[in-house]
Amino acid sequence: MTILNGKEIAAEVLTECREKVGTLQSRGVTPGLAVVIVGDDPASHVYVNSKVKTCGELGIHSRKIELPTETTQEEVLQVVRDLNGDPAIHGILVQSPPPPHINEEEIIRLLDPRKDVDGFHPVNVGKLVMEDESGFVPCTPQGCIHLLEKAGIETSGANAVVIGRSMIVGKPMALLLMGKGVNATVTVAHSRTRELAAVCRQADILVAAIGKPGFVTADFVKDGAVVIDVGINRVEDSSKKRGFRLVGDVAYDEVAPKCHAITPVPGGVGPMTIAFLMSNTVKAAGG
Ligand code: NDP
């Protein structure tokens, strides 16, 4: 069984980004990423800080825009309009989830698709469907595919099952897996899927993007499968200083022994997401 080390593979992606930033800078361009966060969701603030920190390590200019929970929809839209028109900013992301009174979809639609480094704007979703590489691919599924490639996993003709159909993970993941180059045969499962464990047992490659700690147990997994655990869930743990620990959607201890390869949580998909955010930002700046 191989543990797919996302930290290590992400570090290689970041090294490539750093080199491209150097080349851009020698042409007088410093890539710039704006991160907008509305409200005080603690996990979101952790993600945003880690994105900003990684920008600093690569020489990417970052601007963190923190807005209070009571910010109106129109105020957020105005921030996005200003960033769309700001030549120092090549990438914009609005951290999810915003407070409930904010309409996230309207904000995404307002983004300049050329600055939409999360790949959520309809233009970029369309380009992903069309396999037009000029678009931006959502960072998490892009990272998962890269992990599979780097680990030398044979995807062509493989049966892949993706649990989850969100716009952020499940749907783009399924599209990438079925794409030309990757060539898997894909099943997308969700909360209405019947006989979910039996469906998952068909998978040579099983991707879990559900948001439920330890949901995928050993009976979901065929011997020798590759398991990609996208889930990041906080579970209470009084032995930890912060009072919780992070676990995936996969019951790692019982599933790992059955696998050919598996991603751990933390240290699997998470670092890949940030690495491909940086990669998309460099691409947005022309790198
Ligand atoms: P969503 O809540 O948007 O989607 C969850 C999906 O899981 C839905 O499609 C839902 O089905 C499906 N689901 C829920 N319950 C079941 C069930 N009992 N059986 C089968 N399917 C079920 O979550 P996201 O896609 O945004 O995120 C998923 C997980 O990935 C979360 O833990 C999140 O924190 C993590 N994540 C990690 C990232 C990383 O960098 N590693 C980045 C982004 C997310 P239905 O559509 O029918 O409701």
Side-chain angles (χ1 to χ4, degrees), residues 47 140 163-170 189-193 196 208-212 215 229-233 247-249 268-274:
Y47 294 141
T140 301
I163 320 176
R165 55 177 165 178
S166 72
M167 292 302 295
I168 299 177
V169 191
H190 45 75
S191 64
R192 310 294 170 93
T193 299
L196 181 62
I210 311 156
K212 295 195 167 155
F215 182 88
D229 188 355
V230 179
I232 300 181
N233 308 290
V247 300
D249 288 343
V269 175
M272 301 303 296
T273 299
I274 294 199

PDB file of all heavy atoms in Angstrom, residues 47 140 163-170 189-193 196 208-212 215 229-233 247-249 268-274, ligand 1:
ATOM      1  N   TYR A  47      -7.852  28.735   5.991  1.00  0.00           N
ATOM      2  CA  TYR A  47      -7.538  28.489   4.570  1.00  0.00           C
ATOM      3  C   TYR A  47      -6.972  29.750   3.920  1.00  0.00           C
ATOM      4  O   TYR A  47      -5.981  29.703   3.206  1.00  0.00           O
ATOM      5  CB  TYR A  47      -8.784  28.048   3.789  1.00  0.00           C
ATOM      6  CG  TYR A  47      -9.342  26.711   4.209  1.00  0.00           C
ATOM      7  CD1 TYR A  47     -10.704  26.488   4.280  1.00  0.00           C
ATOM      8  CD2 TYR A  47      -8.492  25.647   4.509  1.00  0.00           C
ATOM      9  CE1 TYR A  47     -11.221  25.255   4.664  1.00  0.00           C
ATOM     10  CE2 TYR A  47      -9.003  24.415   4.891  1.00  0.00           C
ATOM     11  CZ  TYR A  47     -10.370  24.229   4.964  1.00  0.00           C
ATOM     12  OH  TYR A  47     -10.875  23.011   5.337  1.00  0.00           O
ATOM     13  N   THR A 140      -8.996  21.804  -6.507  1.00  0.00           N
ATOM     14  CA  THR A 140      -8.978  20.515  -5.802  1.00  0.00           C
ATOM     15  C   THR A 140      -8.986  19.332  -6.774  1.00  0.00           C
ATOM     16  O   THR A 140      -8.116  18.460  -6.692  1.00  0.00           O
ATOM     17  CB  THR A 140     -10.149  20.439  -4.794  1.00  0.00           C
ATOM     18  OG1 THR A 140     -10.008  21.524  -3.879  1.00  0.00           O
ATOM     19  CG2 THR A 140     -10.158  19.128  -4.042  1.00  0.00           C
ATOM     20  N   ILE A 163     -17.814  10.046  -5.281  1.00  0.00           N
ATOM     21  CA  ILE A 163     -18.964  10.271  -4.393  1.00  0.00           C
ATOM     22  C   ILE A 163     -19.022  11.768  -4.127  1.00  0.00           C
ATOM     23  O   ILE A 163     -18.092  12.332  -3.524  1.00  0.00           O
ATOM     24  CB  ILE A 163     -18.866   9.519  -3.054  1.00  0.00           C
ATOM     25  CG1 ILE A 163     -18.294   8.111  -3.226  1.00  0.00           C
ATOM     26  CG2 ILE A 163     -20.244   9.472  -2.372  1.00  0.00           C
ATOM     27  CD1 ILE A 163     -18.100   7.372  -1.902  1.00  0.00           C
ATOM     28  N   GLY A 164     -20.111  12.397  -4.577  1.00  0.00           N
ATOM     29  CA  GLY A 164     -20.267  13.852  -4.442  1.00  0.00           C
ATOM     30  C   GLY A 164     -20.414  14.474  -5.814  1.00  0.00           C
ATOM     31  O   GLY A 164     -19.754  14.057  -6.770  1.00  0.00           O
ATOM     32  N   ARG A 165     -21.307  15.481  -5.912  1.00  0.00           N
ATOM     33  CA  ARG A 165     -21.560  16.127  -7.210  1.00  0.00           C
ATOM     34  C   ARG A 165     -21.563  17.644  -7.072  1.00  0.00           C
ATOM     35  O   ARG A 165     -22.312  18.342  -7.750  1.00  0.00           O
ATOM     36  CB  ARG A 165     -22.892  15.646  -7.784  1.00  0.00           C
ATOM     37  CG  ARG A 165     -24.061  15.839  -6.836  1.00  0.00           C
ATOM     38  CD  ARG A 165     -25.380  15.427  -7.466  1.00  0.00           C
ATOM     39  NE  ARG A 165     -26.407  15.276  -6.441  1.00  0.00           N
ATOM     40  CZ  ARG A 165     -27.668  14.964  -6.699  1.00  0.00           C
ATOM     41  NH1 ARG A 165     -28.059  14.773  -7.941  1.00  0.00           N
ATOM     42  NH2 ARG A 165     -28.535  14.831  -5.723  1.00  0.00           N
ATOM     43  N   SER A 166     -20.710  18.164  -6.156  1.00  0.00           N
ATOM     44  CA  SER A 166     -20.649  19.623  -6.001  1.00  0.00           C
ATOM     45  C   SER A 166     -19.926  20.242  -7.187  1.00  0.00           C
ATOM     46  O   SER A 166     -19.178  19.576  -7.902  1.00  0.00           O
ATOM     47  CB  SER A 166     -19.912  19.991  -4.712  1.00  0.00           C
ATOM     48  OG  SER A 166     -18.531  19.726  -4.847  1.00  0.00           O
ATOM     49  N   MET A 167     -20.151  21.560  -7.375  1.00  0.00           N
ATOM     50  CA  MET A 167     -19.477  22.294  -8.453  1.00  0.00           C
ATOM     51  C   MET A 167     -17.994  22.466  -8.144  1.00  0.00           C
ATOM     52  O   MET A 167     -17.195  22.729  -9.018  1.00  0.00           O
ATOM     53  CB  MET A 167     -20.110  23.686  -8.624  1.00  0.00           C
ATOM     54  CG  MET A 167     -21.517  23.681  -9.163  1.00  0.00           C
ATOM     55  SD  MET A 167     -21.663  22.859 -10.759  1.00  0.00           S
ATOM     56  CE  MET A 167     -20.682  23.915 -11.809  1.00  0.00           C
ATOM     57  N   ILE A 168     -17.651  22.369  -6.841  1.00  0.00           N
ATOM     58  CA  ILE A 168     -16.262  22.618  -6.429  1.00  0.00           C
ATOM     59  C   ILE A 168     -15.411  21.373  -6.606  1.00  0.00           C
ATOM     60  O   ILE A 168     -14.243  21.452  -6.985  1.00  0.00           O
ATOM     61  CB  ILE A 168     -16.240  23.078  -4.948  1.00  0.00           C
ATOM     62  CG1 ILE A 168     -17.037  24.365  -4.792  1.00  0.00           C
ATOM     63  CG2 ILE A 168     -14.827  23.226  -4.423  1.00  0.00           C
ATOM     64  CD1 ILE A 168     -17.143  24.857  -3.361  1.00  0.00           C
ATOM     65  N   VAL A 169     -15.981  20.221  -6.291  1.00  0.00           N
ATOM     66  CA  VAL A 169     -15.186  18.986  -6.322  1.00  0.00           C
ATOM     67  C   VAL A 169     -15.800  17.915  -7.236  1.00  0.00           C
ATOM     68  O   VAL A 169     -15.214  17.547  -8.260  1.00  0.00           O
ATOM     69  CB  VAL A 169     -14.972  18.386  -4.915  1.00  0.00           C
ATOM     70  CG1 VAL A 169     -13.921  17.280  -4.987  1.00  0.00           C
ATOM     71  CG2 VAL A 169     -14.581  19.410  -3.872  1.00  0.00           C
ATOM     72  N   GLY A 170     -16.961  17.388  -6.865  1.00  0.00           N
ATOM     73  CA  GLY A 170     -17.478  16.184  -7.505  1.00  0.00           C
ATOM     74  C   GLY A 170     -17.625  16.294  -9.018  1.00  0.00           C
ATOM     75  O   GLY A 170     -17.092  15.465  -9.767  1.00  0.00           O
ATOM     76  N   ALA A 189     -21.716   9.307  -7.826  1.00  0.00           N
ATOM     77  CA  ALA A 189     -22.689   8.910  -6.808  1.00  0.00           C
ATOM     78  C   ALA A 189     -23.009  10.111  -5.918  1.00  0.00           C
ATOM     79  O   ALA A 189     -22.220  11.048  -5.814  1.00  0.00           O
ATOM     80  CB  ALA A 189     -22.121   7.764  -5.976  1.00  0.00           C
ATOM     81  N   HIS A 190     -24.176  10.088  -5.307  1.00  0.00           N
ATOM     82  CA  HIS A 190     -24.607  11.198  -4.442  1.00  0.00           C
ATOM     83  C   HIS A 190     -25.602  10.664  -3.419  1.00  0.00           C
ATOM     84  O   HIS A 190     -25.752   9.438  -3.281  1.00  0.00           O
ATOM     85  CB  HIS A 190     -25.199  12.328  -5.288  1.00  0.00           C
ATOM     86  CG  HIS A 190     -26.137  11.849  -6.337  1.00  0.00           C
ATOM     87  ND1 HIS A 190     -27.409  11.426  -6.051  1.00  0.00           N
ATOM     88  CD2 HIS A 190     -25.935  11.647  -7.660  1.00  0.00           C
ATOM     89  CE1 HIS A 190     -27.978  11.017  -7.161  1.00  0.00           C
ATOM     90  NE2 HIS A 190     -27.102  11.135  -8.162  1.00  0.00           N
ATOM     91  N   SER A 191     -26.285  11.568  -2.730  1.00  0.00           N
ATOM     92  CA  SER A 191     -27.099  11.116  -1.591  1.00  0.00           C
ATOM     93  C   SER A 191     -28.299  10.259  -2.020  1.00  0.00           C
ATOM     94  O   SER A 191     -28.890   9.590  -1.187  1.00  0.00           O
ATOM     95  CB  SER A 191     -27.578  12.318  -0.782  1.00  0.00           C
ATOM     96  OG  SER A 191     -28.430  13.119  -1.557  1.00  0.00           O
ATOM     97  N   ARG A 192     -28.671  10.283  -3.293  1.00  0.00           N
ATOM     98  CA  ARG A 192     -29.800   9.459  -3.747  1.00  0.00           C
ATOM     99  C   ARG A 192     -29.348   8.157  -4.408  1.00  0.00           C
ATOM    100  O   ARG A 192     -30.174   7.414  -4.914  1.00  0.00           O
ATOM    101  CB  ARG A 192     -30.676  10.220  -4.748  1.00  0.00           C
ATOM    102  CG  ARG A 192     -31.091  11.606  -4.299  1.00  0.00           C
ATOM    103  CD  ARG A 192     -32.017  11.542  -3.096  1.00  0.00           C
ATOM    104  NE  ARG A 192     -32.188  12.879  -2.561  1.00  0.00           N
ATOM    105  CZ  ARG A 192     -33.163  13.703  -2.898  1.00  0.00           C
ATOM    106  NH1 ARG A 192     -34.065  13.339  -3.762  1.00  0.00           N
ATOM    107  NH2 ARG A 192     -33.236  14.907  -2.368  1.00  0.00           N
ATOM    108  N   THR A 193     -28.075   7.915  -4.447  1.00  0.00           N
ATOM    109  CA  THR A 193     -27.580   6.698  -5.099  1.00  0.00           C
ATOM    110  C   THR A 193     -28.014   5.466  -4.301  1.00  0.00           C
ATOM    111  O   THR A 193     -27.886   5.434  -3.077  1.00  0.00           O
ATOM    112  CB  THR A 193     -26.038   6.751  -5.189  1.00  0.00           C
ATOM    113  OG1 THR A 193     -25.681   7.892  -5.977  1.00  0.00           O
ATOM    114  CG2 THR A 193     -25.457   5.500  -5.822  1.00  0.00           C
ATOM    115  N   LEU A 196     -25.043   2.215  -2.442  1.00  0.00           N
ATOM    116  CA  LEU A 196     -23.817   3.002  -2.628  1.00  0.00           C
ATOM    117  C   LEU A 196     -22.543   2.165  -2.426  1.00  0.00           C
ATOM    118  O   LEU A 196     -21.602   2.252  -3.223  1.00  0.00           O
ATOM    119  CB  LEU A 196     -23.826   4.205  -1.675  1.00  0.00           C
ATOM    120  CG  LEU A 196     -22.632   5.133  -1.763  1.00  0.00           C
ATOM    121  CD1 LEU A 196     -22.519   5.767  -3.146  1.00  0.00           C
ATOM    122  CD2 LEU A 196     -22.712   6.225  -0.700  1.00  0.00           C
ATOM    123  N   ALA A 208     -13.696  10.304  -2.731  1.00  0.00           N
ATOM    124  CA  ALA A 208     -14.717  10.636  -1.732  1.00  0.00           C
ATOM    125  C   ALA A 208     -14.724  12.142  -1.492  1.00  0.00           C
ATOM    126  O   ALA A 208     -13.733  12.702  -1.027  1.00  0.00           O
ATOM    127  CB  ALA A 208     -14.436   9.886  -0.433  1.00  0.00           C
ATOM    128  N   ALA A 209     -15.830  12.805  -1.843  1.00  0.00           N
ATOM    129  CA  ALA A 209     -15.969  14.259  -1.618  1.00  0.00           C
ATOM    130  C   ALA A 209     -17.362  14.504  -1.071  1.00  0.00           C
ATOM    131  O   ALA A 209     -18.260  14.999  -1.762  1.00  0.00           O
ATOM    132  CB  ALA A 209     -15.739  15.015  -2.914  1.00  0.00           C
ATOM    133  N   ILE A 210     -17.553  14.136   0.179  1.00  0.00           N
ATOM    134  CA  ILE A 210     -18.882  14.071   0.780  1.00  0.00           C
ATOM    135  C   ILE A 210     -19.031  15.097   1.917  1.00  0.00           C
ATOM    136  O   ILE A 210     -20.057  15.765   2.035  1.00  0.00           O
ATOM    137  CB  ILE A 210     -19.126  12.646   1.365  1.00  0.00           C
ATOM    138  CG1 ILE A 210     -18.770  11.577   0.330  1.00  0.00           C
ATOM    139  CG2 ILE A 210     -20.563  12.480   1.834  1.00  0.00           C
ATOM    140  CD1 ILE A 210     -18.413  10.241   0.931  1.00  0.00           C
ATOM    141  N   GLY A 211     -18.009  15.179   2.749  1.00  0.00           N
ATOM    142  CA  GLY A 211     -18.106  16.067   3.905  1.00  0.00           C
ATOM    143  C   GLY A 211     -18.667  15.373   5.131  1.00  0.00           C
ATOM    144  O   GLY A 211     -19.298  15.999   5.974  1.00  0.00           O
ATOM    145  N   LYS A 212     -18.446  14.027   5.209  1.00  0.00           N
ATOM    146  CA  LYS A 212     -18.890  13.280   6.395  1.00  0.00           C
ATOM    147  C   LYS A 212     -17.730  12.425   6.899  1.00  0.00           C
ATOM    148  O   LYS A 212     -17.258  11.536   6.176  1.00  0.00           O
ATOM    149  CB  LYS A 212     -20.084  12.385   6.029  1.00  0.00           C
ATOM    150  CG  LYS A 212     -21.294  13.196   5.639  1.00  0.00           C
ATOM    151  CD  LYS A 212     -22.567  12.396   5.618  1.00  0.00           C
ATOM    152  CE  LYS A 212     -23.749  13.355   5.529  1.00  0.00           C
ATOM    153  NZ  LYS A 212     -24.932  12.766   4.933  1.00  0.00           N
ATOM    154  N   PHE A 215     -16.996   8.297   6.450  1.00  0.00           N
ATOM    155  CA  PHE A 215     -18.196   7.738   5.803  1.00  0.00           C
ATOM    156  C   PHE A 215     -17.861   6.491   4.972  1.00  0.00           C
ATOM    157  O   PHE A 215     -18.617   5.519   4.944  1.00  0.00           O
ATOM    158  CB  PHE A 215     -18.811   8.833   4.913  1.00  0.00           C
ATOM    159  CG  PHE A 215     -20.073   8.446   4.214  1.00  0.00           C
ATOM    160  CD1 PHE A 215     -21.302   8.613   4.828  1.00  0.00           C
ATOM    161  CD2 PHE A 215     -20.038   7.922   2.924  1.00  0.00           C
ATOM    162  CE1 PHE A 215     -22.475   8.264   4.172  1.00  0.00           C
ATOM    163  CE2 PHE A 215     -21.205   7.573   2.268  1.00  0.00           C
ATOM    164  CZ  PHE A 215     -22.428   7.749   2.898  1.00  0.00           C
ATOM    165  N   ASP A 229      -9.152  10.746  -0.881  1.00  0.00           N
ATOM    166  CA  ASP A 229     -10.038  11.278   0.162  1.00  0.00           C
ATOM    167  C   ASP A 229      -9.975  12.804   0.144  1.00  0.00           C
ATOM    168  O   ASP A 229      -8.986  13.405   0.592  1.00  0.00           O
ATOM    169  CB  ASP A 229      -9.572  10.728   1.528  1.00  0.00           C
ATOM    170  CG  ASP A 229     -10.540  11.057   2.646  1.00  0.00           C
ATOM    171  OD1 ASP A 229     -11.517  11.794   2.401  1.00  0.00           O
ATOM    172  OD2 ASP A 229     -10.315  10.560   3.772  1.00  0.00           O
ATOM    173  N   VAL A 230     -11.026  13.419  -0.386  1.00  0.00           N
ATOM    174  CA  VAL A 230     -11.041  14.885  -0.493  1.00  0.00           C
ATOM    175  C   VAL A 230     -11.545  15.526   0.803  1.00  0.00           C
ATOM    176  O   VAL A 230     -11.241  16.674   1.110  1.00  0.00           O
ATOM    177  CB  VAL A 230     -11.920  15.317  -1.692  1.00  0.00           C
ATOM    178  CG1 VAL A 230     -11.966  16.835  -1.818  1.00  0.00           C
ATOM    179  CG2 VAL A 230     -11.411  14.700  -2.986  1.00  0.00           C
ATOM    180  N   GLY A 231     -12.292  14.781   1.570  1.00  0.00           N
ATOM    181  CA  GLY A 231     -12.954  15.333   2.758  1.00  0.00           C
ATOM    182  C   GLY A 231     -11.997  15.973   3.753  1.00  0.00           C
ATOM    183  O   GLY A 231     -10.894  15.476   3.982  1.00  0.00           O
ATOM    184  N   ILE A 232     -12.446  17.094   4.304  1.00  0.00           N
ATOM    185  CA  ILE A 232     -11.736  17.712   5.432  1.00  0.00           C
ATOM    186  C   ILE A 232     -12.802  18.021   6.466  1.00  0.00           C
ATOM    187  O   ILE A 232     -13.646  18.894   6.245  1.00  0.00           O
ATOM    188  CB  ILE A 232     -11.006  19.014   5.036  1.00  0.00           C
ATOM    189  CG1 ILE A 232      -9.965  18.748   3.939  1.00  0.00           C
ATOM    190  CG2 ILE A 232     -10.350  19.652   6.252  1.00  0.00           C
ATOM    191  CD1 ILE A 232      -9.187  19.982   3.514  1.00  0.00           C
ATOM    192  N   ASN A 233     -12.800  17.273   7.541  1.00  0.00           N
ATOM    193  CA  ASN A 233     -13.843  17.431   8.561  1.00  0.00           C
ATOM    194  C   ASN A 233     -13.190  17.642   9.918  1.00  0.00           C
ATOM    195  O   ASN A 233     -12.196  16.994  10.245  1.00  0.00           O
ATOM    196  CB  ASN A 233     -14.701  16.154   8.624  1.00  0.00           C
ATOM    197  CG  ASN A 233     -15.235  15.734   7.264  1.00  0.00           C
ATOM    198  OD1 ASN A 233     -16.087  16.391   6.699  1.00  0.00           O
ATOM    199  ND2 ASN A 233     -14.708  14.636   6.715  1.00  0.00           N
ATOM    200  N   VAL A 247     -10.185  15.065   9.978  1.00  0.00           N
ATOM    201  CA  VAL A 247     -10.262  13.715   9.406  1.00  0.00           C
ATOM    202  C   VAL A 247     -10.934  13.803   8.035  1.00  0.00           C
ATOM    203  O   VAL A 247     -11.645  14.758   7.732  1.00  0.00           O
ATOM    204  CB  VAL A 247     -11.051  12.721  10.305  1.00  0.00           C
ATOM    205  CG1 VAL A 247     -10.417  12.583  11.672  1.00  0.00           C
ATOM    206  CG2 VAL A 247     -12.507  13.143  10.444  1.00  0.00           C
ATOM    207  N   GLY A 248     -10.707  12.768   7.243  1.00  0.00           N
ATOM    208  CA  GLY A 248     -11.284  12.742   5.903  1.00  0.00           C
ATOM    209  C   GLY A 248     -12.664  12.115   5.889  1.00  0.00           C
ATOM    210  O   GLY A 248     -13.275  11.858   6.933  1.00  0.00           O
ATOM    211  N   ASP A 249     -13.141  11.848   4.673  1.00  0.00           N
ATOM    212  CA  ASP A 249     -14.423  11.157   4.486  1.00  0.00           C
ATOM    213  C   ASP A 249     -14.238   9.640   4.515  1.00  0.00           C
ATOM    214  O   ASP A 249     -15.211   8.896   4.441  1.00  0.00           O
ATOM    215  CB  ASP A 249     -15.033  11.551   3.134  1.00  0.00           C
ATOM    216  CG  ASP A 249     -15.561  12.982   3.136  1.00  0.00           C
ATOM    217  OD1 ASP A 249     -15.756  13.539   4.229  1.00  0.00           O
ATOM    218  OD2 ASP A 249     -15.778  13.534   2.038  1.00  0.00           O
ATOM    219  N   GLY A 268      -2.821  15.037   2.212  1.00  0.00           N
ATOM    220  CA  GLY A 268      -3.099  14.410   0.913  1.00  0.00           C
ATOM    221  C   GLY A 268      -3.549  15.458  -0.090  1.00  0.00           C
ATOM    222  O   GLY A 268      -2.735  16.180  -0.664  1.00  0.00           O
ATOM    223  N   VAL A 269      -4.870  15.548  -0.247  1.00  0.00           N
ATOM    224  CA  VAL A 269      -5.440  16.446  -1.259  1.00  0.00           C
ATOM    225  C   VAL A 269      -5.297  17.928  -0.855  1.00  0.00           C
ATOM    226  O   VAL A 269      -5.104  18.794  -1.709  1.00  0.00           O
ATOM    227  CB  VAL A 269      -6.930  16.087  -1.511  1.00  0.00           C
ATOM    228  CG1 VAL A 269      -7.585  17.070  -2.458  1.00  0.00           C
ATOM    229  CG2 VAL A 269      -7.044  14.664  -2.048  1.00  0.00           C
ATOM    230  N   GLY A 270      -5.390  18.216   0.438  1.00  0.00           N
ATOM    231  CA  GLY A 270      -5.365  19.610   0.920  1.00  0.00           C
ATOM    232  C   GLY A 270      -4.216  20.433   0.346  1.00  0.00           C
ATOM    233  O   GLY A 270      -4.440  21.481  -0.271  1.00  0.00           O
ATOM    234  N   PRO A 271      -2.964  19.976   0.512  1.00  0.00           N
ATOM    235  CA  PRO A 271      -1.843  20.760  -0.017  1.00  0.00           C
ATOM    236  C   PRO A 271      -1.888  20.919  -1.542  1.00  0.00           C
ATOM    237  O   PRO A 271      -1.425  21.929  -2.081  1.00  0.00           O
ATOM    238  CB  PRO A 271      -0.606  19.945   0.380  1.00  0.00           C
ATOM    239  CG  PRO A 271      -1.055  19.014   1.446  1.00  0.00           C
ATOM    240  CD  PRO A 271      -2.521  18.802   1.265  1.00  0.00           C
ATOM    241  N   MET A 272      -2.474  19.933  -2.233  1.00  0.00           N
ATOM    242  CA  MET A 272      -2.563  20.027  -3.695  1.00  0.00           C
ATOM    243  C   MET A 272      -3.479  21.178  -4.105  1.00  0.00           C
ATOM    244  O   MET A 272      -3.254  21.843  -5.118  1.00  0.00           O
ATOM    245  CB  MET A 272      -3.114  18.722  -4.288  1.00  0.00           C
ATOM    246  CG  MET A 272      -2.311  17.494  -3.996  1.00  0.00           C
ATOM    247  SD  MET A 272      -0.603  17.615  -4.552  1.00  0.00           S
ATOM    248  CE  MET A 272      -0.798  17.739  -6.315  1.00  0.00           C
ATOM    249  N   THR A 273      -4.530  21.399  -3.317  1.00  0.00           N
ATOM    250  CA  THR A 273      -5.485  22.464  -3.646  1.00  0.00           C
ATOM    251  C   THR A 273      -4.781  23.815  -3.649  1.00  0.00           C
ATOM    252  O   THR A 273      -4.929  24.611  -4.577  1.00  0.00           O
ATOM    253  CB  THR A 273      -6.643  22.451  -2.617  1.00  0.00           C
ATOM    254  OG1 THR A 273      -7.302  21.189  -2.712  1.00  0.00           O
ATOM    255  CG2 THR A 273      -7.645  23.550  -2.883  1.00  0.00           C
ATOM    256  N   ILE A 274      -4.005  24.073  -2.616  1.00  0.00           N
ATOM    257  CA  ILE A 274      -3.302  25.367  -2.547  1.00  0.00           C
ATOM    258  C   ILE A 274      -2.279  25.462  -3.680  1.00  0.00           C
ATOM    259  O   ILE A 274      -2.129  26.501  -4.319  1.00  0.00           O
ATOM    260  CB  ILE A 274      -2.632  25.544  -1.165  1.00  0.00           C
ATOM    261  CG1 ILE A 274      -3.725  25.639  -0.105  1.00  0.00           C
ATOM    262  CG2 ILE A 274      -1.748  26.792  -1.160  1.00  0.00           C
ATOM    263  CD1 ILE A 274      -3.301  26.250   1.193  1.00  0.00           C
TER     264      ILE A 274
HETATM  265  P1  NDP B   1     -20.865  19.517  -0.694  1.00  0.00           P
HETATM  266  O1  NDP B   1     -21.586  19.497   0.609  1.00  0.00           O
HETATM  267  O2  NDP B   1     -21.101  20.645  -1.643  1.00  0.00           O
HETATM  268  O3  NDP B   1     -21.198  18.165  -1.482  1.00  0.00           O
HETATM  269  C1  NDP B   1     -21.236  16.938  -0.828  1.00  0.00           C
HETATM  270  C2  NDP B   1     -21.698  15.866  -1.790  1.00  0.00           C
HETATM  271  O4  NDP B   1     -21.753  14.636  -1.060  1.00  0.00           O
HETATM  272  C3  NDP B   1     -23.095  16.122  -2.366  1.00  0.00           C
HETATM  273  O5  NDP B   1     -23.099  15.904  -3.766  1.00  0.00           O
HETATM  274  C4  NDP B   1     -23.977  15.136  -1.618  1.00  0.00           C
HETATM  275  O6  NDP B   1     -25.031  14.591  -2.380  1.00  0.00           O
HETATM  276  C5  NDP B   1     -22.981  14.009  -1.326  1.00  0.00           C
HETATM  277  N1  NDP B   1     -23.455  13.271  -0.156  1.00  0.00           N
HETATM  278  C6  NDP B   1     -23.824  13.759   1.047  1.00  0.00           C
HETATM  279  N2  NDP B   1     -24.249  12.757   1.850  1.00  0.00           N
HETATM  280  C7  NDP B   1     -24.172  11.628   1.124  1.00  0.00           C
HETATM  281  C8  NDP B   1     -24.501  10.275   1.378  1.00  0.00           C
HETATM  282  N3  NDP B   1     -24.998   9.891   2.554  1.00  0.00           N
HETATM  283  N4  NDP B   1     -24.289   9.383   0.392  1.00  0.00           N
HETATM  284  C9  NDP B   1     -23.806   9.759  -0.807  1.00  0.00           C
HETATM  285  N5  NDP B   1     -23.480  11.032  -1.110  1.00  0.00           N
HETATM  286  C10 NDP B   1     -23.662  11.953  -0.164  1.00  0.00           C
HETATM  287  O7  NDP B   1     -19.324  19.377  -0.334  1.00  0.00           O
HETATM  288  P2  NDP B   1     -18.000  19.747  -1.174  1.00  0.00           P
HETATM  289  O8  NDP B   1     -17.978  18.992  -2.447  1.00  0.00           O
HETATM  290  O9  NDP B   1     -17.797  21.198  -1.185  1.00  0.00           O
HETATM  291  O10 NDP B   1     -16.892  19.143  -0.173  1.00  0.00           O
HETATM  292  C11 NDP B   1     -16.835  17.778   0.148  1.00  0.00           C
HETATM  293  C12 NDP B   1     -15.757  17.565   1.176  1.00  0.00           C
HETATM  294  O11 NDP B   1     -14.508  17.939   0.622  1.00  0.00           O
HETATM  295  C13 NDP B   1     -15.891  18.399   2.446  1.00  0.00           C
HETATM  296  O12 NDP B   1     -15.386  17.645   3.549  1.00  0.00           O
HETATM  297  C14 NDP B   1     -14.979  19.575   2.198  1.00  0.00           C
HETATM  298  O13 NDP B   1     -14.495  20.149   3.398  1.00  0.00           O
HETATM  299  C15 NDP B   1     -13.883  18.917   1.446  1.00  0.00           C
HETATM  300  N6  NDP B   1     -13.115  19.810   0.583  1.00  0.00           N
HETATM  301  C16 NDP B   1     -11.770  19.655   0.632  1.00  0.00           C
HETATM  302  C17 NDP B   1     -10.968  20.404  -0.158  1.00  0.00           C
HETATM  303  C18 NDP B   1      -9.509  20.148  -0.107  1.00  0.00           C
HETATM  304  O14 NDP B   1      -8.746  21.023  -0.435  1.00  0.00           O
HETATM  305  N7  NDP B   1      -9.076  18.956   0.270  1.00  0.00           N
HETATM  306  C19 NDP B   1     -11.495  21.448  -1.028  1.00  0.00           C
HETATM  307  C20 NDP B   1     -12.943  21.466  -1.091  1.00  0.00           C
HETATM  308  C21 NDP B   1     -13.712  20.677  -0.272  1.00  0.00           C
HETATM  309  P3  NDP B   1     -26.302  15.492  -2.865  1.00  0.00           P
HETATM  310  O15 NDP B   1     -25.779  16.322  -4.002  1.00  0.00           O
HETATM  311  O16 NDP B   1     -27.289  14.483  -3.288  1.00  0.00           O
HETATM  312  O17 NDP B   1     -26.709  16.306  -1.689  1.00  0.00           O
END
